[in-house]
Amino acid sequence: MLQLDTQLLQPRMPQSTTTAVMIIGGAEDKIHGRLILQTFFQRAGGGDARIAIIPSASREPAVIGSRYHDIFEEMGAKAIEVLDIRERSHGEDSTWQSFVEDCTGVFMTGGDQLRLYELLSDTPIMERVRMRAQLGEITLAGTSAGAAVMGQQMIAGGGSGESPNRSLVDMTTGLGIIPELVVDQHFHNRNRMARLLSAVAAHTDRLGVGIDEDTCAMFEGNGSFQVIGKGTVTVVDPGAVSYTNYATAGSTDPISLHNLRVHILSHGDRYDLNKREIVSPGR
Amino acid sequence: MLQLDTQLLQPRMPQSTTTAVMIIGGAEDKIHGRLILQTFFQRAGGGDARIAIIPSASREPAVIGSRYHDIFEEMGAKAIEVLDIRERSHGEDSTWQSFVEDCTGVFMTGGDQLRLYELLSDTPIMERVRMRAQLGEITLAGTSAGAAVMGQQMIAGGGSGESPNRSLVDMTTGLGIIPELVVDQHFHNRNRMARLLSAVAAHTDRLGVGIDEDTCAMFEGNGSFQVIGKGTVTVVDPGAVSYTNYATAGSTDPISLHNLRVHILSHGDRYDLNKREIVSPGR
C-alpha cells in the first residue's frame, strides 16, 4: 500500500477510502464494545463482508480460528472462512485461494510470529493477501503476532528490564505488508520500549511503532494511520539520528542513539508515514 | 549549579572543573572496579576528600551509612562522617553543620525519596549542601532515592506495564539541586519509560532523565553532563512538544505527547543541558 508504485496502482482501481491495514497490539476487546473488531468488520464491508481468518500463528489454530469466526458471524458477515494453514503446502490450497480472491477482509490472529512467517511467507495465498491489501482492495488486520509480521524487518522476540542493547531483541524478516515499519505489540503493557529502541538502532532506515493492547494503528490508503482503542501507539522515528554506536557495540553493550523523534499517540490521533509527522491531534 | 545566578557565583569562586553533581541510577558497583564510586571519590578530592554520607533515605541508615563509610575509608578519604539524620531537628546539628561547611563531597544513599525529602528539605544542613553543590564547591552524589530528589519536581513512585497515563506516576517536590530535571532511576532495569513519559507530560517545561543501574549522569559546572557506567541515560526532552492531552485526560486515560526528542546515551556521551543537545558522542 505505502511503498507501492503508484503507476501500478492507479490504472487498476482508485484507492478505496474504506479499506485499511489494521495493526493491533494484541488483547483487543472481544466481548464488550469490540471497538477494534467492529471497525475491522465495517472496513471489510459490514453485512457484505467476506472474511478470511488466518490462525496459523497459533498452536491451537482451530480454537482461535473458531473464536474469531463466531465473532464475525455474530456481527453479520456474509461469508467467513478459516484458512487453517498448518503446513506450507496449504498455502496453495485452491479453495482457499479462490476465497482470498473474492474476500473483502483478512484477519491474522495472535500466536508466534515466527511460526506465522514460516508457514505463510511467499505462499500464493499470502502473496495475494499482501498484494490485495497494498492495492487497497481488502482490509487486512493482524493482532499480536499478526501485527508483528507487518514490516519487512520483524521482531521475533526479546527481553525487557535492561538497557537497550543488541542482544535484547531478535530481528528477522517479516511479511513486508508495510515494509518501512518495525512493529512491536503488547507494547507498554509488556514494557517493550528498550527492545524497540534496540531494534530501531539496528534499522535506522525504518520507523519503530509500538502498539499497546486493545489499541490499533489503522493505516489508510493515503499513507497515514489513525489510532483506535484504549492505549497508545508509540512512534520511534530515527530519521534524524545523528549517532549510534550500534555497529561497533558488543552484543550486550549499552546502545547510544542520539536525536530520536518520539510520539505518544492515543485514540483519534493521526500520523503521516510519508511526511513522518503528526497530522492532527485526536481531540 | 545550573540555574544559579552567575552574578552570585562568579565573585565567590571560579567554577571548579573537578567538582560535579553525580546522579546515579542505583545499584552502582560497590565491589569490583567501583567506577562510579571511585569517580565520586576523586571528584571529592581523592586522598584529601572529606566526605559526608547522608543515609536518611534508608530505613536502615546505620547499616547503609557504614557500608559507604567503609568503601570511602578503603579508598583513602581523609575524613568521613555519616550524617545519620533521623528526624528533622538533626538537620540543625551543629557538629554535622560544621562538617558540611568543610567537606569536599556529599553522598546521598538509596532508600525512599519521600523519606529523604521529608527529613532534609529546607533544613540548614541540606540548604548548605545544595548551595555548596550549586556553587561548585563540593561534589554531590545521589544514588537511587538520592538521585530521585535532584530535581525540583520529583517522581515519588509509580508503576509500569501500562500505557502512559496520569495515574502511572506520583509527582511531588524534590530538593531542587538541578531544578530543571525530572529524574528517574533503575530506569530500563525496572521498565520505567512509561512512567517517565507520564511525568514529562505533566511538566513539559522540565527535562526527563532516566538513569539505568550502575550508571551515572555526571553534571559539571559548565551545564553539561557526561555518562559514566554500564547502562544508559535516557533523555526525554519535551522542549518541542506540539501537543499533549495531559490537562484534559482522565486519570487513567492514555496520554498523547507529540514531538518529543529522545536521546539514549551511553558511557562517554555528553549532553548540554542549556542547549539541550548532544555535545559529542562518546567514542
Side-chain angles (χ1 to χ4, degrees):
Chain A
M1 176 175 71
L2 292 147
Q3 293 228 320
L4 197 75
D5 185 340
T6 52
Q7 292 173 309
L8 225 183
L9 179 64
Q10 278 161 0
R12 176 103 182 226
M13 64 178 293
Q15 284 190 335
S16 165
T17 54
T18 56
T19 63
V21 174
M22 298 177 62
I23 311 185
I24 307 165
E28 72 283 353
D29 174 10
K30 297 175 190 67
I31 295 162
H32 302 292
R34 292 171 168 172
L35 175 64
I36 292 168
L37 294 178
Q38 273 288 354
T39 303
F40 168 75
F41 171 71
Q42 292 301 334
R43 293 279 177 151
D48 294 322
R50 298 173 56 81
I51 295 173
I53 296 164
I54 300 179
S56 310
S58 174
R59 295 209 169 269
E60 293 191 315
V63 174
I64 198 164
S66 93
R67 182 155 193 209
Y68 283 102
H69 180 284
D70 293 352
I71 290 170
F72 298 132
E73 186 172 59
E74 193 189 312
M75 289 180 181
K78 192 174 211 167
I80 306 166
E81 184 87 24
V82 178
L83 313 189
D84 191 355
I85 295 166
R86 300 191 187 198
E87 39 189 275
R88 284 186 59 83
S89 62
H90 296 169
E92 300 172 27
D93 181 282
S94 60
T95 313
W96 288 341
Q97 272 190 277
S98 64
F99 191 87
V100 161
E101 218 50 60
D102 293 333
C103 76
T104 59
V106 174
F107 193 97
M108 300 190 290
T109 73
D112 175 355
Q113 54 262 43
L114 271 177
R115 183 179 160 83
L116 183 60
Y117 177 82
E118 281 161 12
L119 286 172
L120 279 155
S121 62
D122 302 320
T123 58
I125 284 177
M126 194 64 226
E127 279 307 289
R128 278 303 287 156
V129 168
R130 184 173 62 75
M131 181 62 75
R132 296 198 66 204
Q134 290 176 334
L135 288 168
E137 295 176 3
I138 60 170
T139 290
L140 171 63
T143 186
S144 195
V149 295
M150 291 286 187
Q152 190 65 48
Q153 312 295 335
M154 176 171 92
I155 296 177
S160 66
E162 291 177 26
S163 309
N165 70 85
R166 296 171 69 123
S167 69
L168 195 60
V169 64
D170 299 320
M171 297 302 298
T172 179
T173 306
L175 295 178
I177 312 288
I178 304 180
E180 55 266 65
L181 304 184
V182 175
V183 174
D184 209 345
Q185 66 286 350
H186 303 279
F187 187 64
H188 285 298
N189 314 83
R190 296 189 188 170
N191 296 307
R192 288 177 164 172
M193 190 67 167
R195 94 174 193 180
L196 183 60
L197 290 166
S198 305
V200 164
H203 299 285
T204 51
D205 56 330
R206 306 295 182 174
L207 188 78
V209 179
I211 306 175
D212 293 346
E213 293 178 356
D214 199 13
T215 308
C216 172
M218 185 169 77
F219 288 79
E220 304 187 269
N222 60 1
S224 74
F225 72 82
Q226 63 170 296
V227 178
I228 300 174
K230 253 178 61 181
T232 59
V233 172
T234 300
V235 173
V236 178
D237 177 3
V241 159
S242 54
Y243 173 77
T244 176
N245 63 350
Y246 186 85
T248 57
S251 69
T252 60
D253 288 345
I255 288 174
S256 288
L257 200 49
H258 299 173
N259 287 300
L260 290 166
R261 227 166 139 204
V262 172
H263 310 284
I264 313 297
L265 309 178
S266 65
H267 186 80
D269 288 354
R270 285 175 180 274
Y271 181 84
D272 186 318
L273 194 59
N274 299 319
K275 295 184 184 164
R276 291 205 172 187
E277 60 185 36
I278 307 286
V279 178
S280 62
R283 284 149 299 253
Chain B
M1 176 175 71
L2 292 145
Q3 293 227 319
L4 197 74
D5 185 341
T6 51
Q7 292 175 308
L8 226 183
L9 181 62
Q10 278 160 4
R12 175 101 183 226
M13 63 180 292
Q15 285 191 335
S16 165
T17 54
T18 56
T19 62
V21 175
M22 299 176 64
I23 311 186
I24 307 166
E28 71 285 352
D29 174 11
K30 296 175 189 69
I31 296 163
H32 302 293
R34 291 172 168 171
L35 175 63
I36 292 168
L37 294 178
Q38 273 287 355
T39 303
F40 167 75
F41 171 70
Q42 292 303 334
R43 293 280 177 148
D48 294 323
R50 299 173 54 81
I51 296 174
I53 297 164
I54 300 179
S56 310
S58 175
R59 295 211 168 268
E60 292 192 315
V63 174
I64 199 163
S66 94
R67 182 155 193 209
Y68 283 102
H69 180 283
D70 293 353
I71 290 170
F72 297 132
E73 186 171 59
E74 193 189 311
M75 288 180 183
K78 193 174 211 164
I80 306 167
E81 184 85 23
V82 178
L83 314 190
D84 191 355
I85 296 167
R86 301 191 187 197
E87 39 190 273
R88 284 187 59 85
S89 62
H90 296 170
E92 300 173 28
D93 180 282
S94 60
T95 313
W96 288 341
Q97 271 190 279
S98 65
F99 191 86
V100 161
E101 217 51 59
D102 292 334
C103 76
T104 60
V106 174
F107 193 96
M108 298 190 290
T109 73
D112 175 355
Q113 53 263 42
L114 271 177
R115 183 179 159 84
L116 183 59
Y117 178 82
E118 282 161 12
L119 285 172
L120 278 155
S121 62
D122 302 318
T123 59
I125 284 179
M126 193 63 228
E127 279 307 288
R128 279 303 288 157
V129 168
R130 184 174 62 77
M131 181 63 74
R132 294 198 67 205
Q134 289 176 334
L135 289 168
E137 294 176 4
I138 60 170
T139 290
L140 170 64
T143 187
S144 194
V149 293
M150 291 287 187
Q152 190 65 47
Q153 310 297 333
M154 177 171 91
I155 296 177
S160 66
E162 291 176 26
S163 309
N165 69 84
R166 297 172 70 124
S167 69
L168 196 59
V169 64
D170 298 319
M171 297 303 299
T172 178
T173 306
L175 295 179
I177 312 289
I178 304 182
E180 56 266 66
L181 305 183
V182 175
V183 174
D184 209 345
Q185 66 286 354
H186 304 280
F187 188 64
H188 285 300
N189 314 81
R190 296 190 188 170
N191 296 308
R192 288 178 164 172
M193 190 65 166
R195 94 174 192 179
L196 183 60
L197 290 166
S198 306
V200 165
H203 298 284
T204 51
D205 56 331
R206 306 296 181 174
L207 188 78
V209 178
I211 306 175
D212 293 346
E213 293 178 357
D214 200 13
T215 307
C216 172
M218 186 169 76
F219 287 79
E220 304 187 270
N222 59 2
S224 75
F225 72 83
Q226 63 170 296
V227 177
I228 300 173
K230 254 179 60 180
T232 58
V233 172
T234 300
V235 174
V236 178
D237 176 4
V241 159
S242 53
Y243 173 76
T244 177
N245 63 350
Y246 186 85
T248 56
S251 69
T252 61
D253 289 345
I255 288 174
S256 287
L257 199 50
H258 299 172
N259 287 299
L260 290 166
R261 228 165 138 203
V262 171
H263 310 283
I264 313 295
L265 308 177
S266 65
H267 186 79
D269 288 353
R270 284 175 181 275
Y271 182 84
D272 186 318
L273 193 59
N274 299 320
K275 294 183 182 164
R276 293 206 172 186
E277 61 186 33
I278 307 286
V279 178
S280 62
R283 284 150 299 253

